[in-house]
Amino acid sequence: MRCIPRLRVVRATLVSAVAVAGATQLTGQIPEEFHNLQVLPEDISRPELIATMRGFALGLGVRCHHCHVGEEAIPFSEYDFESDEKETKRKARFMLQMVQDLNNDRLPGLTEIGQRAEPGVEVTCEMCHRGRPVPWMLEEVLAATIDTEGADAAVAQYRTLRDEFYGSGSYGFGPMTLVDVAGQLAERQQTDAALAILDLQKEFYPEAVQTWVALAQVHVARDERAQAVTALEKALELDPQNPFLQSQLQRLKDEGG
């Protein structure tokens, strides 16, 4: 039974060999025998188990001590790999079982519906986590921060995450992310927070039509017609042949007298 697709095993092995200084020495510290394997096959080879563990680490952007009893600064020989003390290890088992169920039992059933992609798509840790321990969407991360700490904290968080993860695929930094967050805030009548998020949107995506449409919508919700008209006029500068924008702008002007 494969734990992760062969290509993922190869990738994990190659990346580790290139990126980890002293990889041979570190591998030598890993036990020759493995105990307390409850989901992985008991007869799994040492190289495949090591590659699998490295695949987990790459997929979640973590190190060994995230799941195993040990610390960053101590050698592997002092780790208690057998221990189930850490909740993260117990959760990892659950998630691994879920992945195996999907790949071995559920996804093959697609052939009962129609032709399955070739080669067959398989679920991996990285598919959802993309280098993060908790696979939240960026919109969810920012929304949670706004709820607990406010919009200014979310703005600072966005900048930090963008500096660290932009281009990695871990989070979606496209032009609709902040627009979606602002839209959810506006629906909850948190228009001050929505404007703070859209100020950030204007900074990074000033040439995106949706930036100015979203801004106009928030200003309408605040009964700020003049600001809404200005935002729609900017949107029309970017997309002058858009009939929807033309009609919305004319409606706002007519309502304003």
Side-chain angles (χ1 to χ4, degrees):
M1 179 186 298
R2 288 185 299 168
C3 306
I4 55 176
R6 171 58 56 185
L7 287 176
R8 299 288 180 174
V9 172
V10 172
R11 176 180 179 271
T13 304
L14 290 176
V15 171
S16 297
V18 172
V20 178
T24 302
Q25 180 181 0
L26 290 175
T27 301
Q29 297 174 2
I30 297 174
E32 292 292 337
E33 296 182 359
F34 305 106
H35 303 281
N36 196 23
L37 295 177
Q38 299 182 23
V39 182
L40 298 174
E42 292 185 0
D43 61 350
I44 187 172
S45 69
R46 186 170 182 269
E48 187 170 4
L49 188 140
I50 292 172
T52 298
M53 292 297 149
R54 286 175 174 163
F56 295 160
L58 288 168
L60 275 68
V62 297
R63 303 294 291 271
C64 300
H65 61 279
H66 181 75
C67 289
H68 295 292
V69 175
E71 299 177 7
E72 178 72 20
I74 68 175
F76 284 163
S77 58
E78 298 181 22
Y79 274 58
D80 187 352
F81 287 107
E82 188 173 347
S83 172
D84 292 337
E85 175 186 336
K86 286 197 171 183
E87 179 182 312
T88 47
K89 181 180 179 181
R90 300 194 299 272
K91 285 183 176 180
R93 279 205 184 103
F94 178 90
M95 298 298 289
L96 181 55
Q97 287 174 318
M98 179 190 72
V99 168
Q100 289 183 346
D101 289 344
L102 288 170
N103 288 330
N104 298 331
D105 301 327
R106 297 296 297 170
L107 288 177
L110 283 173
T111 55
E112 298 177 7
I113 301 172
Q115 185 175 358
R116 189 179 178 189
E118 289 292 342
V121 176
E122 291 190 330
V123 175
T124 67
C125 302
E126 189 176 11
M127 183 178 289
C128 292
H129 284 270
R130 298 183 184 274
R132 298 160 292 143
V134 180
W136 280 4
M137 302 283 286
L138 181 55
E139 294 91 332
E140 296 172 306
V141 173
L142 297 176
T145 299
I146 291 169
D147 286 343
T148 57
E149 303 178 53
D152 289 345
V155 168
Q157 182 181 38
Y158 179 90
R159 294 184 189 281
T160 298
L161 292 174
R162 190 180 178 97
D163 287 344
E164 182 176 357
F165 291 105
Y166 187 83
S168 70
S170 294
Y171 292 105
F173 293 99
M176 286 304 297
T177 297
L178 294 175
V179 167
D180 288 343
V181 174
Q184 294 171 20
L185 291 169
E187 289 177 1
R188 292 156 53 184
Q189 299 183 338
Q190 295 177 254
T191 55
D192 287 344
L195 288 179
I197 294 299
L198 288 175
D199 281 343
L200 187 64
Q201 171 77 4
K202 286 190 295 182
E203 178 181 337
F204 288 101
Y205 296 102
E207 301 303 315
V209 173
Q210 53 265 44
T211 298
W212 302 97
V213 173
L215 190 60
Q217 291 170 341
V218 174
H219 282 305
V220 168
R222 293 165 62 93
D223 199 27
E224 296 170 346
R225 302 284 170 170
Q227 292 93 325
V229 166
T230 299
L232 280 181
E233 287 176 340
K234 176 62 178 178
L236 266 174
E237 288 179 13
L238 297 169
D239 189 7
Q241 303 304 316
N242 189 311
F244 172 78
L245 296 179
Q246 293 171 352
S247 65
Q248 291 300 303
L249 179 58
Q250 188 59 52
R251 182 177 64 80
L252 279 177
K253 289 182 175 179
D254 291 344
E255 290 177 354

